[in-house]
């Protein structure tokens, strides 16, 4: 029976691995998800059978309750809420592993045969160690994920929170966690309860302290890391209870999450440690005395005013262009009877709608603003309209656009955008210079050309979409404020070939579509 269990666990683990691999491609993501879910279901049923608890009614009651809750959440959650939902699920996985760790460390749930085998082989220190370690990693995952979900749902501030003596207190909780785990390895039964409680509390607070320091825009990487930790916690819990399948699947999830975290860190050109510490690369500044400090405050205020003036100037420029178009239309209507002499060309003022009406090759760049406005359906309608006029439409997806890995892909899939039209940054970046027009929907930092030369800024060195190389750029952002990194985008102030359609994305997109039709 043990041999069959190991073989079945290996087969199911391979199925999970293949499913995760399939989820890396848009075309096979749904099937990959179903394959992994089916393998996990078979693994749960097999575990119940091998453990001899098939006849325990409460197990099935718990399974039914969990399935009902999960199915209702899956049906009711909106796509805009998917990042916090993923964070919550990561946390629940970590909490489950911590619970398993508590039971194993306390010696609860083992059969008489297992207890005899553990005592005969002298394995209690290993059981204690893996149990306490599962508690530590699981609680860090749980509390960290809850904070991440709170930030994503805007129940907590989006910016990094740094409390008094933050680094020192974080280090203290980490050291306490390690101390309780180490002491608990050889602790007698009378002290084990204290070690379990201490590990629970210390690791929970460490998870809170490390996660509140992460900014809202860094959540894609944080969620990926927490997903990896949930897998690690599950694998350690599997070691504690000698479950081969749990060890294998937890290791696969942990490794895949860590690889994804590294890929996204490279996409942002930032180290994982700088993200977890909530730090950004800023130009070095030295304050010599209080007077210089006051001067810096005044300079900052002046810069803020200049930014607002630039925004107002851009809005006025946009309005002037529209007024000019209206005046031309009025003049044309008044002089219907007057024929234009032959050979004389009348110069037309270009607008965003007129540019798109003539375009034969268009690239759309979605960002977090599209998610906030829930404008993915309007984006698809605009793409359909352009294609009906003979244009080729593609979508350029930056690896860290949005608030979780694949955020833009999920939203566009909800709007029934064809998978074949979604292009990763490396596959489409060279085509921006060749396209007729680019439409930006709520994106900023991921296309900011300042990343190439603005030394000392948070985005310096970060690979970005080459939107600035396009001849015509239509920006459908809510306003002209800098992105999360706080770096001005030179595209907005470009003299030619940029059209600023500011405001709610749904309204601006509808206005564009009416202009194209009209």
């Amino acid at each position: 029976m043990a041999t069959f269990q190991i073989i079945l666990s290996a087969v199911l683990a391979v199925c999970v691995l293949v499913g995760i691999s399939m989820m890396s491609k848009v075309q096979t993501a749904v099937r990959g998800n179903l394959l992994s879910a089916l393998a996990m279901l078979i693994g749960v049923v097999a575990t119940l059978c091998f453990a001899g608890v098939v006849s325990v009614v409460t197990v099935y009651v718990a399974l039914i309750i969990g399935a009902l809750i999960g199915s209702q959440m899956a049906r009711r959650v909106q796509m805009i809420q998917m990042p916090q939902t993923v964070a919550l699920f990561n946390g629940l996985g970590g909490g489950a592993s911590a619970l398993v760790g508590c039971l194993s460390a306390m010696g609860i749930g083992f059969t008489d045969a297992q207890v005899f085998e553990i005592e005969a082989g002298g394995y209690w220190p290993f059981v204690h160690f893996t149990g306490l370690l599962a508690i530590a990693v699981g609680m860090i995952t749980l509390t960290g994920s809850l904070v991440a979900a709170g930030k994503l749902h805007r129940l907590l501030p989006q910016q990094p929170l740094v409390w008094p003596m933050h680094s020192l207190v974080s280090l203290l909780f980490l050291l306490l966690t390690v101390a309780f785990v180490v002491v608990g390895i050889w602790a007698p039964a009378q002290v084990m309860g204290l070690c379990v409680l201490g590990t629970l509390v210390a690791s929970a607070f460490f998870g809170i302290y490390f996660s509140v320091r992460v900014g809202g825009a860094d959540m894609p990487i944080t969620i990926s890391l927490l997903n990896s930790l949930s897998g690690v916690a599950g694998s350690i819990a599997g070691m504690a209870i000698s479950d081969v399948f749990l060890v294998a699947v937890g290791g696969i999830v942990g490794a895949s999450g860590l690889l994804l975290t590294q890929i996204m860190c490279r996409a942002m050109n930032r180290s994982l440690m700088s993200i977890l510490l909530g730090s950004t690369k800023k130009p070095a500044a030295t304050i010599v005395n209080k007077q210089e400090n006051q001067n810096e405050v005044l300079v900052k205020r002046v810069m803020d005013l200049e930014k607002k003036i630039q925004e107002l100037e851009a809005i006025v420029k946009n309005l002037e262009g529209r007024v000019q178009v209206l005046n031309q239309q009025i003049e044309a209507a008044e002089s219907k009877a007057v024929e234009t002499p032959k050979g004389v060309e009348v110069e037309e003022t270009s607008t965003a709608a007129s540019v798109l009406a003539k375009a034969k090759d268009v690239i759309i760049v979605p960002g977090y603003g599209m998610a906030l406005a829930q404008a993915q359906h309007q984006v698809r309608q605009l793409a359909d309209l352009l294609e009906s006029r003979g244009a080729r439409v593609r979508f350029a997806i930056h690896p860290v656009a949005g608030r979780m890995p694949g955020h833009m892909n999920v939203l566009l899939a909800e709007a029934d955008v064809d998978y074949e039209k979604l292009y990763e940054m490396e596959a489409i970046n060279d085509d921006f210079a060749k396209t007729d027009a680019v439409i930006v929907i709520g994106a900023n930092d991921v296309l900011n050309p300042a990343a190439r030369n603005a030394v000392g800024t948070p985005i310096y060195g970060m690979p970005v979409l080459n939107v600035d190389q396009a001849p015509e750029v239509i920006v459908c952002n809510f306003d002209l404020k800098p992105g999360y990194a706080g770096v001005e985008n030179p595209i907005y102030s470009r003299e030619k070939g940029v059209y600023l359609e500011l405001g709610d994305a749904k309204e601006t997109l509808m206005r564009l579509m009416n202009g194209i039709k009209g």
Side-chain angles (χ1 to χ4, degrees):
M1 183 63 72
T3 303
F4 176 70
Q5 182 180 1
I6 293 173
I7 294 174
L8 180 61
S9 299
V11 172
L12 292 176
V14 170
C15 289
V16 172
L17 184 59
V18 172
I20 292 176
S21 177
M22 292 172 66
M23 282 189 280
S24 65
K25 297 181 180 179
V26 179
Q27 296 87 340
T28 57
V30 174
R31 284 174 290 172
N33 188 43
L34 290 174
L35 176 61
S36 296
L38 180 61
M40 289 300 301
L41 176 60
I42 297 174
V44 170
V45 175
T47 300
L48 294 176
C49 294
F50 290 127
V53 293
V54 180
S55 59
V56 179
V57 179
T58 53
V59 172
Y60 299 101
V61 174
L63 283 173
I64 294 172
I65 293 174
L68 290 174
I69 294 174
S71 61
Q72 287 301 310
M73 290 183 66
R75 291 181 179 215
R76 295 185 180 184
V77 67
Q78 300 178 6
M79 283 299 171
I80 185 66
Q81 299 171 331
M82 194 56 67
Q84 49 264 52
T85 306
V86 172
L88 183 60
F89 285 161
N90 285 342
L92 292 177
S97 299
L99 180 59
V100 172
C102 289
L103 296 175
S104 63
M106 297 292 292
I108 301 174
F110 291 109
T111 63
D112 294 337
Q114 289 175 323
V115 171
F116 177 78
E117 183 180 353
I118 291 171
E119 290 180 346
Y123 298 139
W124 277 120
F126 178 78
V127 173
H128 290 166
F129 173 70
T130 52
L132 292 171
L133 193 59
I135 295 172
V137 180
M139 288 304 297
I140 292 172
T141 306
L142 174 61
T143 55
S145 298
L146 290 177
V147 171
K151 280 179 172 282
L152 291 167
H153 206 59
R154 298 185 178 274
L155 298 175
L156 297 175
Q158 294 285 289
Q159 69 273 16
L161 294 179
V162 181
W163 294 325
M165 297 186 295
H166 199 114
S167 298
L168 181 61
V169 175
S170 299
L171 180 61
L172 176 63
F173 281 128
L174 180 60
L175 292 176
L176 282 174
T177 302
V178 174
F180 280 117
V181 171
V182 172
V183 171
I185 296 176
W186 297 279
Q190 299 82 350
V191 186
M192 183 54 64
L194 179 61
C195 293
V196 169
L197 180 61
T199 306
L200 278 169
V201 175
S203 58
F205 275 103
F206 176 76
I208 294 173
Y209 264 75
F210 105 80
S211 55
V212 297
R213 203 164 182 170
V214 180
D218 289 330
M219 279 304 153
I221 292 178
T222 308
I223 290 177
S224 178
L225 177 63
L226 290 170
N227 178 61
S228 177
L229 288 178
S230 67
V232 171
S235 184
I236 297 172
M239 295 179 189
I241 60 176
S242 301
D243 190 303
V244 178
F245 177 64
L246 188 54
V247 172
V249 173
I252 291 171
V253 173
S256 60
L258 186 58
L259 287 173
L260 180 59
T261 302
Q262 292 177 333
I263 291 171
M264 299 184 74
C265 283
R266 285 198 296 269
M268 293 183 69
N269 193 38
R270 294 178 64 189
S271 67
L272 179 60
M273 189 57 64
S274 69
I275 292 170
L276 296 180
L277 294 177
S279 61
T280 55
K281 295 178 286 185
K282 296 181 180 179
T286 305
I287 299 176
V288 179
N289 50 44
K290 292 183 178 180
Q291 183 62 40
E292 289 188 7
N293 192 17
Q294 293 174 355
N295 290 339
E296 287 187 0
V297 172
L298 292 174
V299 170
K300 183 179 179 181
R301 290 180 179 175
V302 172
M303 291 177 65
D304 290 339
L305 289 174
E306 289 178 350
K307 290 179 184 178
K308 293 180 179 179
I309 292 172
Q310 290 177 357
E311 292 177 10
L312 292 173
E313 287 177 347
I315 294 173
V316 170
K317 179 182 176 182
N318 195 12
L319 291 174
E320 286 177 348
R322 295 180 186 175
V323 170
Q324 189 175 2
V325 172
L326 289 174
N327 288 335
Q328 290 178 349
Q329 292 175 349
I330 293 172
E331 291 175 2
E334 290 176 348
S335 57
K336 280 183 181 179
V338 180
E339 295 183 359
T340 304
K342 293 182 178 181
V344 178
E345 295 184 358
V346 179
E347 184 179 351
E348 296 182 0
T349 302
S350 296
T351 63
S354 65
V355 168
L356 292 177
K358 298 175 183 176
K360 296 302 179 183
D361 192 347
V362 179
I363 297 177
I364 299 177
V365 178
Y368 186 57
M370 183 189 76
L372 286 178
Q374 300 186 48
Q376 59 269 26
H377 294 283
Q378 285 72 23
V379 171
R380 182 190 60 78
Q381 292 170 12
L382 175 59
D384 291 344
L385 176 60
L386 294 173
E387 288 178 337
S388 69
R389 300 174 65 91
R392 178 193 185 193
V393 180
R394 291 172 291 171
F395 292 81
I397 311 297
H398 193 280
V400 294
R403 290 295 183 268
M404 76 171 190
H407 196 180
M408 297 300 103
N409 303 68
V410 171
L411 290 174
L412 294 173
E414 183 198 19
D416 294 327
V417 174
D418 191 353
Y419 294 154
E420 300 295 333
K421 298 176 184 176
L422 307 183
Y423 289 80
E424 296 181 1
M425 179 173 61
E426 295 80 5
I428 200 171
N429 235 7
D430 293 336
D431 293 346
F432 281 100
K434 309 170 190 175
T435 192
D436 296 327
V438 173
I439 308 172
V440 178
I441 315 291
N444 196 325
D445 288 338
V446 297
L447 53 91
N448 193 340
R452 304 189 193 109
N453 47 37
V455 180
T457 62
I459 62 173
Y460 176 66
M462 169 182 167
V464 294
L465 296 166
N466 296 333
V467 173
D468 60 311
Q469 297 179 6
E472 308 283 357
V473 180
I474 296 93
V475 179
C476 297
N477 285 0
F478 187 76
D479 52 37
L480 294 179
K481 292 181 179 179
Y484 174 76
V487 182
E488 295 288 346
N489 195 324
I491 294 178
Y492 299 162
S493 56
R494 198 166 84 175
E495 292 184 2
K496 294 182 180 181
V498 62
Y499 305 87
L500 303 174
E501 299 290 332
L502 304 180
D504 183 81
K506 288 184 178 179
E507 297 177 2
T508 55
L509 289 171
M510 291 303 298
R511 188 164 61 238
L512 277 176
M513 286 187 279
N514 291 333
I516 295 171
K517 295 175 183 177

